[in-house]
Amino acid sequence: MLHTVPAFDRIGEENAFAVLARATALAAQGRDIINLGIGQPDFKTPAHIVEAAIKALRDGHHGYTPATGLLATREAVVRRTLALTGVEVSPENVMIMPGGKPTMYAAIVMFGEPGAEILYPDPGFPIYRSMIEFTGATPVPIPIREENGFAFSAEETLALITPKTRLIILNSPANPTGGVTPRVEIEKLVKGLEKHPDVAIMSDEIYDVMTYDGEQQVSLLTFPEIRNRLIVLNGWSKTWAMTGWRMGWSIWADGLYEKVRKLAVNCWSCVNAPSQFAGIAAIDGPQDEVEAMMKAFDRRRKVVVDGLNRLPGVSCITPKGAFYAFPNIKETGWKAKPLASALLDKAGVALIGGPDFGVLGEGYIRLSYANSEENILKALDRIDTFLETELAPKAA
Ligand code: PLP
């Protein structure tokens, strides 16, 4: 009998990957499946970015880079951060990471241990809670409410802080809700955090430019008073359709940077070199394809929200960011997870039940609109027929 440590039995899952596997298996059996489950853009990485990686390989960039990332890649992140937030960070605070998730992992293992509490959004990206539980720390959900437009509430967040709180995780624009937290709320939170100088903050800003209707992300970097305890997670995956490249970056407070650098040396040495050249091309190159992708997402967003609001028992507020809709399905009589699996099995539409993002996700489902308008319309039609004809099972 092998004795693995209990922490590994506490690791959770990202159900979007399980749904993708099931949808792919059904499609392989010849079923016509429309996938609105997965959180990755359905666009290709722009060609000039791909070319930069190929050139890097041809030019012989085959070796290790510094664990923190190439200076040129970190300087590209500095330029982008300045352009987007107006804040000039030092390349000595920038880590190039193998995707967005490793920053989550690093931040959570840095602060989580039995007896500690870590606040995280619920519903929210499922890996936050999973990794908190892995460390043995207590996960404390910050409720994310539909009536607040799925923004987090400063007051509710601050009220959850105790002497045991070590880290607060924030995410805006948010997965799975598409919620964008307004400046006033963030200002209130930062003001309230003055009273809790020993609490660190990890702000997951990966959907930074993915906003609509003139809405803008407010980066936590714009508050110098918390810079000494701030970690900002960001990356290439979403904005430049680079999920498979495993390229992320994060900006760490001075005292934390050396710790994460050492973790990188121990775990992954560095991010693969050609991808880091691609990352520079993504930041410095033309952004027309990003803009075109966002225009397409915006059109689809309207189609999805409009269609969802026509479905019996379904209502959906208009998401202001990311590429997800998070409709309320309470009036259908269905619980979210049985509905999601019945829609996949009987209607051929893959989407994710809200509880996969936390207990407060019950009563909601997540649709990713990273699919064509035509497929989205077809999926909405299928969901409509399903809801009109299939009665919800009676609650046990
Ligand atoms: N943070 C949020 C809020 C996300 O939605 C995702 C991916 O879905 C990530 C981080 C992880 O990104 P990556 O694929 O670069 O690890």
Side-chain angles (χ1 to χ4, degrees):
M1 169 114 156
L2 302 176
H3 291 277
T4 58
V5 297
F8 277 80
D9 300 322
R10 297 195 300 263
I11 299 186
E13 265 289 358
E14 192 184 345
N15 203 32
F17 284 97
V19 171
L20 177 64
R22 173 128 181 77
T24 310
L26 287 172
Q29 290 165 20
R31 292 277 312 278
D32 172 22
I33 305 292
I34 302 172
N35 195 345
L36 305 183
I38 195 71
Q40 69 179 339
D42 55 319
F43 294 85
K44 294 279 172 244
T45 304
H48 70 276
I49 301 176
V50 176
E51 287 307 320
I54 294 169
K55 180 171 185 309
L57 281 172
R58 293 224 164 96
D59 290 349
H61 294 287
H62 304 167
Y64 292 125
T65 78
T68 52
L70 292 166
L71 178 61
T73 314
R74 287 183 283 131
E75 283 176 343
V77 168
V78 169
R79 285 193 289 283
R80 183 173 189 277
T81 307
L82 179 64
L84 232 63
T85 67
V87 177
E88 184 150 16
V89 298
S90 159
E92 300 306 313
N93 293 93
V94 176
M95 279 295 296
I96 306 303
M97 302 289 267
K101 277 178 182 167
T103 292
M104 243 170 249
Y105 170 76
I108 293 168
V109 297
M110 209 177 273
F111 289 97
E113 63 176 330
E117 293 176 358
I118 299 182
L119 275 51
Y120 71 102
D122 180 343
F125 192 57
I127 301 306
Y128 305 142
R129 185 186 173 102
S130 165
M131 280 294 105
I132 297 167
E133 290 189 326
F134 178 65
T135 68
T138 305
V140 179
I142 303 169
I144 304 295
R145 301 185 191 282
E146 184 181 1
E147 57 268 32
N148 294 341
F150 294 123
F152 56 79
S153 144
E155 204 178 317
E156 272 189 296
T157 307
L158 291 166
L160 293 168
I161 298 177
T162 75
K164 292 181 182 161
T165 309
R166 297 268 180 85
L167 176 69
I168 301 179
I169 299 174
L170 304 169
N171 174 219
S172 169
N175 182 5
T177 59
V180 179
T181 301
R183 174 169 288 280
V184 280
E185 215 54 42
I186 296 181
E187 282 172 354
K188 248 195 271 175
L189 181 74
V190 171
K191 181 98 196 81
L193 283 172
E194 277 173 19
K195 286 205 207 87
H196 307 283
D198 299 332
V199 175
I201 303 122
M202 187 193 83
S203 179
D204 182 342
E205 305 189 353
I206 200 156
Y207 295 101
D208 57 5
V209 291
M210 300 193 137
T211 55
Y212 311 97
D213 301 336
E215 200 73 38
Q216 278 196 344
Q217 181 193 55
V218 179
S219 173
L220 271 286
L221 279 171
T222 56
F223 298 90
E225 57 272 49
I226 54 164
R227 277 292 297 284
N228 62 348
R229 49 183 165 134
L230 179 66
I231 302 157
V232 171
L233 179 160
N234 209 323
W236 283 264
S237 292
K238 314 286 173 173
T239 306
W240 292 280
M242 292 175 70
T243 50
W245 294 70
R246 308 315 301 139
M247 278 285 287
W249 75 78
S250 36
I251 299 164
W252 296 73
D254 285 338
L256 306 179
Y257 190 69
E258 182 54 15
K259 294 180 199 283
V260 66
R261 185 193 67 75
K262 276 204 255 175
L263 186 70
V265 169
N266 280 267
C267 291
W268 57 84
S269 296
C270 65
V271 173
N272 80 78
S275 287
Q276 294 195 50
F277 284 90
I280 300 171
I283 288 175
D284 290 342
Q287 303 299 311
D288 49 331
E289 288 186 58
V290 176
E291 283 154 24
M293 178 174 81
M294 286 312 296
K295 281 204 180 110
F297 278 148
D298 194 12
R299 278 196 306 274
R300 297 169 185 181
R301 178 180 71 117
K302 289 170 184 147
V303 171
V304 168
V305 172
D306 190 50
L308 285 168
N309 280 313
R310 288 170 202 267
L311 299 177
V314 178
S315 64
C316 184
I317 64 169
T318 304
K320 300 283 188 187
F323 42 84
Y324 310 109
F326 203 61
N328 182 324
I329 50 124
K330 291 174 189 168
E331 296 293 313
T332 64
W334 282 85
K335 290 277 184 206
K337 288 195 52 130
L339 178 60
S341 41
L343 282 171
L344 179 55
D345 289 335
K346 297 191 175 164
V349 179
L351 41 76
I352 318 282
D356 283 329
F357 302 97
V359 287
L360 291 176
E362 185 52 89
Y364 299 87
I365 51 176
R366 187 193 80 172
L367 287 81
S368 152
Y369 41 91
N371 208 322
S372 67
E373 244 171 273
E374 188 192 347
N375 278 342
I376 289 168
L377 285 168
K378 205 153 71 167
L380 287 164
D381 227 35
R382 290 184 187 181
I383 301 173
D384 192 21
T385 309
F386 176 89
L387 289 174
E388 296 282 4
T389 51
E390 298 270 343
L391 284 181
K394 290 256 178 298

